[in-house]
Amino acid sequence: MANSNDSWFQTTAAREIHLEQLKQAERFNGRAAMLGIVIGIITEGLTGAGIAHQIGLGPLVDGYAACRTQFLPFCF
């Protein structure tokens, strides 16, 4: 009976540790995303280039690359 109780405790403790690590990872990812958006907005304000243009998706957003490469079923 003691072995079964120990197994339950270890399983529960492992689950709690995993959930805490998952919370920490998600918190870090959220903070990194917020920081990236703020940096993108500041750069947009300073340079005038939108976030899509900053990461290389400007032509796709503008519609030129979408028409040339057939990414979208319509052209702008």
Side-chain angles (χ1 to χ4, degrees):
M1 187 71 155
N3 190 16
S4 154
N5 203 13
D6 290 343
S7 176
W8 174 84
F9 179 74
Q10 290 176 350
T11 303
T12 304
R15 186 180 314 122
E16 291 296 322
I17 290 170
H18 176 71
L19 287 175
E20 186 60 34
Q21 290 173 343
L22 184 62
K23 287 178 186 177
Q24 289 177 352
E26 288 298 322
R27 190 177 303 124
F28 177 79
N29 288 340
R31 289 175 180 170
M34 288 185 282
L35 184 62
I37 291 294
V38 168
I39 290 172
I41 290 172
I42 290 171
T43 305
E44 182 176 355
L46 293 174
T47 64
I51 293 176
H53 287 83
Q54 293 172 26
I55 62 173
L57 296 177
L60 183 63
V61 173
D62 293 341
Y64 176 74
C67 292
R68 292 286 185 204
T69 59
Q70 307 297 321
F71 283 140
L72 297 174
F74 54 87
C75 292
F76 299 104

